[in-house]
Amino acid sequence: MPSAKDKEKGAFHKVSGRHVLVIEADMSEDNKRRVFNISDRLRLAGNELAALMRNNLVQLLRTKKYRKLRKLYGKAVENKDKALKSKLSFQMKALQEEYDVSWDYCWKAMIPIGKKYDLPSVFARTRAEDIWKGIEKVLYDNGRMIHFQKRGELPVLRAKEIVRTITVKNSEGRLVFSCSGITFTPLIKDRFHQDEVNAVLHYLENPSIVDEEAVRLFLERGYVTDTYRPCYAALKCEEIRGRLRVFIHLTIEGKAKRKFNKDGSARHKYGTGVVGCDIGTQTIAYTSDTECGLKNLAERGNAITRSERKERLFLRKLERSRRVMNPQNYNKDGTVRKGFKKWTFSKNYIRDRKKLSELQRKNSINRHLAIREDVNHIRSLGGIFITESKNAKKLMVKAKETTVNEKTGKFNRKKRFGKSIKNRCPGYFQSHVKDVFLLTGGKYFEVPYDYRASQYDHTNGEYVKRKLSERMISLSDGTTVQRDLYSSFLLYNASTDNTGQLILDGMKCINTFPDIRKMHDGEIERIRLSGKKVLNSGIRI
C-alpha cells in the first residue's frame, strides 16, 4: 500500500506539466554505431511481433460473428443504448482474447522475441506498446492495418523509467547519461540548453528536498512548482548529410525555460488582446487589436516553393527509373501488376533516393520552423486565440460520389486537399498554436459549427452562402473585402452568451470594423507591393 506521502507526491505529479528537451548526444562514432545497431535490432523485433499480431488480427476481422458485432455496436452508439453497448463490448472483448488479439498476448509474445534479438526488456516493452496502439487504432478507430518498418526507419529507443536502461545522473556538475554500457553527455549549443541542463542538475543534487517543497506548496496554496525532474529519456537515431547523429529526448517535469536573445532580452513576447484566426488548407488569416495578416502557411521566403518543386521532379525521375528497370512488374496499361514482385534498382536510382530523403528532411524541418515562427508572432499579438474547429483530416478524404463536369462531360477528380495539407500542415499549426497559448498563460477557443464565419454579413446581420471560389466578396453596403481576412475579423468579434458559448457579436463587428478595415486594406496593399503570391487569396499581383 502506498503511503500518504507517496499519494500526495502522486497527486502533484498528476497536475504538473511536462516538456521535452531535444539535445544532441556527445558520443564517439563507435558508440553511435552501437546505438544504431540496438535501434535496428528493435526494428526487426518489432516487425516480427507485428507480423504475428497482424495474422491474428486478420483472422479476427474475417469472422462473420465479429463483423456482425461491430455493426451492431455502431448502431448502439447511434441510438445511445448504453446497456446494449456494454453487452456488445463484452462479447467483442471475449472474441478478441479468443483470437489472441489482446495486450497481454502482445506483451508475452514480445518477451521471447526480445531475448532472441538481445534487447533490454524496457525497449522491447515500449515497442510492443507502440504496436498495440496500432492494433487499437484498427479495432476502435479509423485504422486499416498495422504496418512494418522498412530498413533505415529506426524506432526511438524509449525507457519509460529514468532509473532503468537509459539513466541520468549529476556527475561533478555534469549531466551524464548511460544506456546499455554506453556513457555520454548532452552537447550544449546555446543558452537555452544550458538553462535547461542547469535546472535538471539542480534537481538531481537534492531531489527529495525539491519534491517535498513542491508538494508542500501544492497542498497549502495549490501552486504547481516547476521542479525540472527528469521523468524519462529516449534516444533517436538519424542520418543527416551522411553523418550518424543521436538525439536525446529528455522529458522534464515543469514548463520549459524562457529563451533569450544574445543581448539578454526575451526572444518571445506575449500579447494580451484577442486574435481571431481563419486557418485554411494553405493560408492563415488573422486579425488582432494592432495587426491584420494574410500569409501562406509553412513558408520561409521562396526556398520552400523551390524545394517542393525539386521533390516532385525527383519523384518523377525515380518513377521513370523503376519502370525502365522493372518492365515485368507493370501491365500494358501502365498499372502495377498484382502479386509478388522482385524489384531491381540502378545505382543512379539508389543515389537519387538518398538525395530525395535528405531533401524531404530539410523540407520537413523548414515547415516546422516556419509554423513555429508564425505561432510565436501571433502569440505576441494577443493572449486569447479564437478559431474554428479542426477539419484538416476531413478535407484530405476523397469524394465518395462520382460526378460529371457539365462543360467537358468528363468525370470530376475525387481528390481534395491531400497535397496542400501535406505541404502546408494546417493541422500541425492549429495544434501547436493551442499548446503555445495554453503553456504561456493564454487562452484558446474554438467556435461551434453554427458560427459560420465565412457566411455572415455584419452590415445587414444576415448569412449569405457563398461558393468556395469567391475570394473577394462584397458586403450589402458595397464594401469589398478579402474572404479569409473578413472571416478572421468575424472570429475576432466573438462574444460569450449566458451559457458561456461563443457567439457572433453583430454590434461589436459594427463598432470595430472602421479600424480593422484600414488594417485590412493596408495588408492587401502590402501583399500587392511585395510581389509574393498568397495562394487562393484572390489578390492579383
Side-chain angles (χ1 to χ4, degrees):
M1 290 290 291
S3 63
K5 284 188 176 181
D6 291 337
K7 289 181 179 179
E8 292 172 354
K9 191 183 290 187
F12 169 76
H13 291 326
K14 195 173 182 179
V15 298
S16 60
R18 302 282 189 279
H19 72 278
V20 180
L21 172 66
V22 180
I23 189 168
E24 190 172 356
D26 187 9
M27 61 173 66
S28 65
E29 292 297 318
D30 184 53
N31 285 338
K32 287 179 183 177
R33 292 189 187 93
R34 289 171 64 187
V35 174
F36 269 71
N37 180 261
I38 296 171
S39 183
D40 193 52
R41 282 188 277 124
L42 184 63
R43 177 186 69 85
L44 294 172
N47 285 348
E48 195 167 320
L49 179 64
L52 178 64
M53 296 303 297
R54 182 169 175 163
N55 289 337
N56 295 346
L57 183 62
V58 169
Q59 293 299 321
L60 173 68
L61 297 176
R62 285 178 64 184
T63 58
K64 292 182 179 179
K65 184 178 179 181
Y66 190 78
R67 292 204 303 268
K68 186 177 180 180
L69 286 172
R70 290 185 78 172
K71 288 182 180 179
L72 293 173
Y73 186 85
K75 291 179 181 178
V77 171
E78 291 179 3
N79 299 330
K80 298 181 180 179
D81 191 342
K82 292 184 178 180
L84 182 60
K85 264 177 60 180
S86 178
K87 182 181 178 181
L88 292 170
S89 178
F90 180 78
Q91 294 178 10
M92 290 167 68
K93 193 80 174 176
L95 205 58
Q96 289 170 13
E97 291 178 356
E98 182 183 339
Y99 280 85
D100 292 331
V101 183
S102 65
W103 162 242
D104 289 337
Y105 180 84
C106 182
W107 161 233
K108 288 176 182 177
M110 189 59 167
I111 294 174
I113 296 174
K115 290 179 179 178
K116 173 184 172 182
Y117 288 96
D118 193 21
L119 292 170
S121 60
V122 173
F123 292 160
R125 186 179 179 87
T126 53
R127 187 71 192 123
E129 287 176 357
D130 294 339
I131 292 168
W132 179 246
K133 284 180 183 177
I135 294 170
E136 284 185 324
K137 195 170 183 181
V138 177
L139 292 174
Y140 309 120
D141 206 342
N142 60 351
R144 294 184 179 181
M145 188 51 64
I146 56 174
H147 301 286
F148 303 105
Q149 286 190 314
K150 300 177 182 177
R151 182 180 294 177
E153 296 178 358
L154 299 177
V156 176
L157 302 175
R158 188 171 69 255
K160 298 190 73 174
E161 296 179 25
I162 201 64
V163 294
R164 294 184 62 191
T165 310
I166 302 179
T167 60
V168 59
K169 64 179 181 178
N170 183 348
S171 177
E172 299 179 357
R174 296 176 65 202
L175 203 62
V176 178
F177 292 85
S178 180
C179 172
S180 298
I182 304 169
T183 304
F184 52 93
T185 58
L187 192 62
I188 298 171
K189 295 184 178 181
D190 54 26
R191 178 179 171 179
F192 171 72
H193 284 164
Q194 189 66 62
D195 291 344
E196 288 277 319
V197 170
N198 289 341
V200 175
L201 288 170
H202 177 264
Y203 174 86
L204 292 175
E205 285 178 358
N206 297 295
S208 58
I209 296 174
V210 176
D211 285 338
E212 287 175 6
E213 181 65 17
V215 172
R216 185 186 66 81
L217 289 172
F218 174 68
L219 295 174
E220 293 179 359
R221 306 180 190 177
Y223 180 74
V224 181
T225 309
D226 295 331
T227 61
Y228 294 97
R229 173 179 65 91
C231 303
Y232 57 89
L235 297 179
K236 186 176 182 182
C237 302
E238 291 187 23
E239 185 176 350
I240 300 174
R241 301 185 188 91
R243 287 182 56 203
L244 305 181
R245 299 174 72 177
V246 179
F247 292 89
I248 306 166
H249 290 227
L250 182 62
T251 302
I252 304 171
E253 186 176 64
K255 295 179 182 177
K257 290 286 186 180
R258 196 163 184 180
K259 295 183 179 180
F260 295 91
N261 297 317
K262 290 183 178 179
D263 59 359
S265 60
R267 187 180 298 182
H268 305 304
K269 297 179 181 179
Y270 304 144
T272 55
V274 178
V275 180
C277 185
D278 179 73
I279 305 172
T281 55
Q282 300 188 84
T283 60
I284 54 165
Y286 56 88
T287 300
S288 67
D289 298 337
T290 57
E291 184 180 323
C292 281
L294 176 64
K295 64 170 298 181
N296 293 327
L297 262 170
E299 187 172 82
R300 305 176 80 201
N302 294 321
I304 188 67
T305 307
R306 292 197 298 270
S307 296
E308 286 172 0
R309 175 169 168 74
K310 285 182 183 178
E311 192 175 324
R312 291 195 300 271
L313 293 175
F314 264 120
L315 289 170
R316 285 161 55 186
K317 185 178 180 181
L318 293 175
E319 175 64 15
R320 290 195 301 270
S321 177
R322 278 197 302 270
R323 288 180 179 275
V324 170
M325 295 294 294
N326 304 277
Q328 73 282 359
N329 293 338
Y330 294 90
N331 298 320
K332 291 182 179 180
D333 59 355
T335 57
V336 179
R337 183 176 59 80
K338 290 184 179 181
F340 175 78
K341 294 174 288 294
K342 187 176 180 180
W343 296 88
T344 304
F345 302 128
S346 65
K347 291 182 179 179
N348 287 338
Y349 180 93
I350 296 171
R351 180 198 62 196
D352 290 338
R353 189 170 58 183
K354 287 183 178 180
K355 289 183 179 179
L356 174 63
S357 177
E358 179 67 17
L359 183 62
Q360 288 173 334
R361 184 192 65 81
K362 289 180 180 178
N363 289 349
S364 175
I365 292 173
N366 277 326
R367 290 187 190 104
H368 282 74
L369 289 175
I371 286 173
R372 289 170 186 170
E373 288 172 1
D374 292 340
V375 169
N376 289 331
H377 176 66
I378 289 174
R379 181 64 183 90
S380 68
L381 299 176
I384 301 173
F385 187 87
I386 302 174
T387 187
E388 295 176 319
S389 58
K390 295 180 181 178
N391 62 348
K393 198 167 186 178
K394 296 176 184 177
L395 293 172
M396 291 174 67
V397 180
K398 292 183 180 181
K400 292 183 179 179
E401 297 181 1
T402 304
T403 57
V404 179
N405 192 311
E406 296 178 356
K407 295 182 179 179
T408 61
K410 296 181 179 180
F411 290 109
N412 291 321
R413 295 176 69 187
K414 291 188 176 183
K415 291 183 179 180
R416 289 297 175 260
F417 304 99
K419 286 186 179 178
S420 298
I421 290 169
K422 176 257 179 185
N423 290 331
R424 301 297 171 180
C425 311
Y428 175 72
F429 172 85
Q430 192 159 355
S431 61
H432 188 60
V433 78
K434 180 180 180 179
D435 293 341
V436 168
F437 270 76
L438 295 179
L439 287 172
T440 56
K443 295 180 180 179
Y444 173 90
F445 297 102
E446 291 182 3
V447 297
Y449 286 103
D450 58 356
Y451 196 90
R452 293 183 289 172
S454 61
Q455 299 177 11
Y456 187 72
D457 186 342
H458 80 279
T459 57
N460 59 9
E462 296 180 358
Y463 287 92
V464 181
K465 195 168 185 179
R466 301 183 178 94
K467 293 181 179 180
L468 191 63
S469 58
E470 294 180 55
R471 309 316 300 172
M472 304 297 290
I473 58 176
S474 297
L475 305 179
S476 63
D477 63 351
T479 307
T480 302
V481 291
Q482 205 280 332
R483 178 173 179 158
D484 299 327
L485 282 170
Y486 187 67
S487 295
S488 68
F489 161 74
L490 296 177
L491 291 165
Y492 166 78
N493 288 290
S495 299
T496 54
D497 59 7
N498 297 329
T499 61
Q501 190 175 14
L502 287 172
I503 58 170
L504 216 162
D505 193 335
M507 286 303 299
K508 192 177 178 182
C509 291
I510 294 171
N511 294 332
T512 58
F513 186 70
D515 294 333
I516 300 297
R517 172 71 191 281
K518 294 177 184 178
M519 292 190 288
H520 168 277
D521 294 344
E523 176 64 10
I524 291 177
E525 186 64 23
R526 184 196 67 79
I527 292 170
R528 283 176 177 157
L529 293 174
S530 68
K532 187 181 292 184
K533 183 180 179 181
V534 178
L535 301 169
N536 300 325
S537 64
I539 301 172
R540 294 184 178 180
I541 299 173

